[in-house]
Amino acid sequence: MSELEKVLAANAEYVEAYPYPEDLPHRPTRKIAVLTCMDCRLEPDRALGLSVPEAHYIRNAGGRASDDALRSLVASTRLLGTDEIFVVQHLDCGMSGTTQAGIVEVLARENLALEAPASMVDWLTIGDPEATVRADVEIIRNYPLLSADVTVRGFLLDPKTGALLPVTDAD
């Protein structure tokens, strides 16, 4: 069975047992938005004790405050009523094992035509995980399209234990 067939079969089972009412709200009931990493080891909903439809989740490589993450956070707060943002990055992140130059080099090695476009992307690699969380929290707190009334907190998640480690206080 192909991966597509497995996914479609799993979806059919999901549809049969779909646990939510048709009128499930699209606004998060706990008014929380979570910016986190795409790492497949993370279960942000379970780690934070959240379930459908309590929060929005924005995921990208590293859980970074990228332009698109900021766009999503603005939509979540300004259009859909969230008033609290959790930045949940994690220990042992794949983005902490490399540098901007290292990523460009790997892509160029695979195909020289990729070197120029790869160097134009800010890969938002991670040196010090705590410092990165603090920096991204500050970026979000100071983003001009977000209300100053939005609470932003930063955390590190340990993928080996599931422990959520606070990095910043709410401001």
Side-chain angles (χ1 to χ4, degrees), residues 51-62:
S51 60
V52 172
E54 295 178 328
H56 283 150
Y57 299 93
I58 297 101
R59 295 183 80 153
N60 65 33

Side-chain angles (χ1 to χ4, degrees), residues 37-158:
C37 186
M38 66 184 200
D39 191 305
C40 61
R41 299 172 294 173
L42 305 184
E43 295 179 295
D45 49 348
R46 292 184 63 196
L48 281 75
L50 299 168
S51 60
V52 172
E54 295 178 328
H56 283 150
Y57 299 93
I58 297 101
R59 295 183 80 153
N60 65 33
R64 301 298 311 276
S66 65
D67 289 344
D68 196 58
L70 291 165
R71 178 186 70 87
S72 294
L73 290 170
V74 169
S76 180
T77 58
R78 294 286 190 172
L79 306 176
L80 298 167
T82 59
D83 57 16
E84 194 160 3
I85 297 170
F86 294 163
V87 176
V88 182
Q89 296 173 7
H90 65 98
L91 301 174
D92 192 33
C93 182
M95 295 307 287
S96 65
T98 189
T99 62
Q100 176 79 16
I103 292 174
V104 172
E105 181 182 323
V106 166
L107 293 175
R109 235 187 347 250
E110 291 179 11
N111 180 345
L112 290 176
L114 295 177
E115 183 172 4
S119 65
M120 292 187 288
V121 173
D122 184 350
W123 293 99
L124 299 173
T125 59
I126 297 169
D128 175 346
E130 265 192 51
T132 301
V133 169
R134 289 182 196 286
D136 282 349
V137 164
E138 285 307 307
I139 288 168
I140 295 166
R141 285 179 179 163
N142 295 310
Y143 194 63
L145 297 180
L146 286 170
S147 169
D149 296 336
V150 173
T151 300
V152 184
R153 293 182 168 87
F155 303 88
L156 281 171
L157 187 64
D158 185 340

Side-chain angles (χ1 to χ4, degrees), residues 17-40:
Y18 194 66
Y20 307 111
E22 286 183 22
D23 60 346
L24 190 67
H26 65 275
R27 293 174 180 263
T29 58
R30 289 185 51 189
K31 299 183 176 186
I32 296 170
V34 180
L35 171 59
T36 193
C37 186
M38 66 184 200
D39 191 305
C40 61

